[in-house]
Amino acid sequence: MASSLGGADKLLNPFKIYSLPVESWINHTIFFLVDRLRPFFQAIRFPFSLVLDGIEWVFLAIPPLILLPIIGLVVWQLAGRRIAIFSIVALIVLGFLGVWQETMMTLSFMGTAVLFCILIGIPIGIACASNYRIDRVVQPILDFMQTLPLFIYLVPIVMLFGIGKVPGVIATLIVAIPPLIRLTTLGIRQVSKEVVEAAIAFGSTKRQVLWEVQIPLAMRTILAGLNQTIMAALSMTVIASMIAVEGLGMMVLRGTASLNIGQASIGGLGIALLAIMLDRITQAIGQGNHQVSWQERGPIGFILSKVKNKKAASTYSGS
């Protein structure tokens, strides 16, 4: 009786008899890559390290009282006066909370990741929009990248690239790049076919149609993708701190590990302020009036208007 029940159980539950050794396959693949291609992956670190160290050095070398006006002027030029004032106030609050250095390290870390997302993601998005075969290959990969738990990326990244800031940037790149690729593809495909056909009828080449028609008209959607990429990169700051990435995320991790609620709260508040600031900047750029030239807005427009008024006043008084 027992043997017949056991046979029925095996018949009705074949998963007890055999399971795919996927775990073993993945481990062997990672060990193979580590043994054979470790120098290659170490070489990939160089451009990331170069950019990250350069940005971090600039942010930390410039005194806060000089860097704050520079950031304010740049944000004013890109996103408007109100967003610039909010950004300066947010950074001043973080400075008085005693986390200025951690904030600059987080900004440099996140800025490097977003920069490489732009350099890699937008060309891939353009290629997907131009070629449906490429899109069919890329979209399942993006689905896989966006649905995997974030912690899974850390183990192979550490084995292939080691620990530290650069592996953290690479892990953040993998997590943050899918929205930019998807929305770049979507934005270009949403450009009216009549507009594209009109540009071709006037003698535009494929390159001119792309850079002078499709990308400008898709820019708002691309910037929405950039906004999502920035938010995804910020969400990785705490997770990346597990592989020795310093910054606000490390404060949250250390505070949580030692039950120091104040330290974890300050780190979390810093990440939240940065997220709000960068979200407002990218939204303002995406929703801004693109018909107004960059020479007519921000501090540059303010200075040029003053110069024009002085010239007009001197001309009027001379006449």
Side-chain angles (χ1 to χ4, degrees):
M1 184 68 178
S3 61
S4 63
L5 289 175
D9 182 59
K10 289 181 180 180
L11 181 64
L12 296 174
N13 189 2
F15 306 122
K16 288 186 177 181
I17 302 173
Y18 178 77
S19 60
L20 292 173
V22 177
E23 179 182 347
S24 177
W25 295 345
I26 293 174
N27 288 334
H28 285 308
T29 301
I30 294 296
F31 291 143
F32 173 82
L33 293 175
V34 171
D35 292 337
R36 303 294 178 87
L37 299 177
R38 187 66 182 269
F40 169 74
F41 288 105
Q42 292 301 310
I44 294 177
R45 291 172 55 111
F46 177 73
F48 291 93
S49 177
L50 187 67
V51 175
L52 177 57
D53 291 341
I55 295 176
E56 188 175 296
W57 180 85
V58 170
F59 280 162
L60 294 178
I62 301 176
L65 288 180
I66 298 176
L67 186 60
L68 279 171
I70 293 174
I71 293 175
L73 291 173
V74 171
V75 175
W76 181 12
Q77 183 67 38
L78 294 175
R81 187 181 304 173
R82 295 171 63 182
I83 306 297
I85 293 172
F86 171 78
S87 301
I88 292 175
V89 171
L91 291 174
I92 290 173
V93 169
L94 291 173
F96 280 116
L97 287 174
V99 293
W100 177 263
Q101 182 174 349
E102 288 80 2
T103 301
M104 294 300 104
M105 294 173 72
T106 300
L107 273 177
S108 60
F109 167 81
M110 197 205 63
T112 303
V114 172
L115 175 62
F116 279 97
C117 284
I118 293 171
L119 294 177
I120 298 172
I122 290 180
I124 293 176
I126 292 172
C128 291
S130 305
N131 192 316
Y132 281 92
R133 290 182 179 178
I134 297 176
D135 187 50
R136 290 193 196 101
V137 174
V138 171
Q139 290 302 325
I141 297 174
L142 297 180
D143 293 338
F144 194 69
M145 292 167 64
Q146 287 188 290
T147 53
L148 273 179
L150 302 182
F151 291 96
I152 290 179
Y153 295 112
L154 297 184
V155 176
I157 289 293
V158 169
M159 294 186 70
L160 295 173
F161 297 99
I163 62 172
K165 297 180 292 185
V166 174
V169 169
I170 296 172
T172 302
L173 170 71
I174 296 171
V175 172
I177 200 171
L180 185 58
I181 296 175
R182 289 186 187 278
L183 287 173
T184 299
T185 303
L186 178 64
I188 292 175
R189 285 184 177 171
Q190 284 181 335
V191 175
S192 173
K193 292 183 179 179
E194 288 78 10
V195 175
V196 175
E197 290 172 357
I200 294 172
F202 279 102
S204 299
T205 64
K206 288 184 177 180
R207 181 174 296 180
Q208 288 174 328
V209 170
L210 176 64
W211 290 103
E212 298 177 15
V213 177
Q214 290 178 309
I215 289 181
L217 291 176
M219 187 56 67
R220 183 165 293 184
T221 306
I222 294 173
L223 288 173
L226 179 61
N227 178 277
Q228 295 301 310
T229 292
I230 291 173
M231 295 302 106
L234 268 174
S235 71
M236 276 293 292
T237 54
V238 178
I239 297 173
S241 66
M242 295 180 178
I243 54 175
V245 176
E246 295 290 338
L248 295 171
M250 182 63 79
M251 289 187 63
V252 176
L253 182 65
R254 287 173 178 164
T256 304
S258 61
L259 297 181
N260 188 338
I261 300 175
Q263 184 182 26
S265 299
I266 291 175
L269 177 62
I271 294 172
L273 285 175
L274 284 182
I276 295 170
M277 182 182 80
L278 295 171
D279 177 68
R280 296 296 182 269
I281 291 171
T282 52
Q283 283 191 11
I285 294 173
Q287 297 172 2
N289 185 3
H290 299 290
Q291 296 179 350
V292 178
S293 170
W294 62 271
Q295 297 176 341
E296 300 176 1
R297 62 175 186 263
I300 295 177
F302 178 78
I303 294 171
L304 291 178
S305 65
K306 292 295 183 181
V307 171
K308 287 180 181 179
N309 291 337
K310 284 188 178 180
K311 286 184 178 179
S314 61
T315 303
Y316 177 77
S317 61
S319 61

